[in-house]
Amino acid sequence: MGMGPIRSHEPDDEFGAAPLSEINVTPLVDVMLVLLIIFMVAAPLMTVGVPVQLPKTAAPKVSKPKQPVVISIDQNGQPFLDKEPLLPETMLSRLKEFAAQDPNQVVLVRGDRSVPYGRVIEIMGQVSAAGFSKVSLIAQAPGGTASQ
C-alpha cells in the first residue's frame, strides 16, 4: 500500500495555491475618480448667482484723503504753518481752528536739523494741546527721501 500525497479538502489550482479572498479595488477607484472629476466640473456650474437689483444708497462717496497739515521749524526755532509764521501768542488759537475743522487730521512736523530737540518736542506738545490726535515727525532718510 503506497501512500499518496495528502490532499486537503480545499480545491487547489494547477499551481497549488489557495483561492484569493481579497476584493479587487481597482474598479472602485476608477469609478470614484470619474465621479470626482464630474463633481469638480459640475460644482462651479451649480453656483450661478441669482440676478438681483442692488439698492441705491444715499451715503456719500469715500472722499479723497486730505492733505496733512505741515508745520515746519526753521533753524532759528520759528514754527511755520505751511509758509505762514506762527507767533507764540497766536499759535495755539490758530492750531485750534484747524483742529475744530477735523481733529483726526494728520499733522506733520518738520524740524531743521540744527534746531534743538527740546524745541521740536515743545512744538509737538502745542500741536497735541490744540486737539490733534495724529502728530508725526518727518525725517530724511539717508537716500534723500522724506520718511515719517
Side-chain angles (χ1 to χ4, degrees):
M1 257 198 206
M3 299 233 355
I6 301 174
R7 296 207 172 249
S8 66
H9 297 292
E10 295 179 5
D12 291 338
D13 58 7
E14 59 191 353
F15 300 109
L20 295 175
S21 60
E22 289 124 14
I23 297 174
N24 188 1
V25 294
T26 306
L28 177 66
V29 170
D30 290 343
V31 169
M32 294 305 286
L33 288 175
V34 168
L35 287 173
L36 177 67
I37 292 171
I38 289 172
F39 282 113
M40 285 174 60
V41 171
L45 301 176
M46 290 188 285
T47 58
V48 176
V50 177
V52 294
Q53 294 290 329
L54 294 176
K56 294 185 177 172
T57 178
K61 293 182 180 178
V62 177
S63 61
K64 294 180 182 175
K66 295 180 182 176
Q67 286 294 100
V69 175
V70 178
I71 296 178
S72 303
I73 306 169
D74 67 2
Q75 63 266 17
N76 300 324
Q78 172 64 44
F80 290 85
L81 179 62
D82 292 328
K83 294 185 179 179
E84 168 196 344
L86 289 173
L87 302 174
E89 57 272 3
T90 61
M91 180 176 176
L92 196 58
S93 62
R94 183 82 173 101
L95 290 174
K96 280 185 179 179
E97 290 174 19
F98 274 97
Q101 294 171 7
D102 186 7
N104 291 326
Q105 177 75 30
V106 177
V107 178
L108 302 178
V109 178
R110 300 171 56 220
D112 192 90
R113 70 172 64 188
S114 62
V115 175
Y117 182 68
R119 178 66 177 150
V120 175
I121 295 301
E122 179 185 331
I123 301 292
M124 288 183 71
Q126 291 181 355
V127 170
S128 295
F132 289 104
S133 59
K134 298 176 183 174
V135 184
S136 299
L137 278 174
I138 297 180
Q140 190 154 8
T145 59
S147 66
Q148 296 179 21

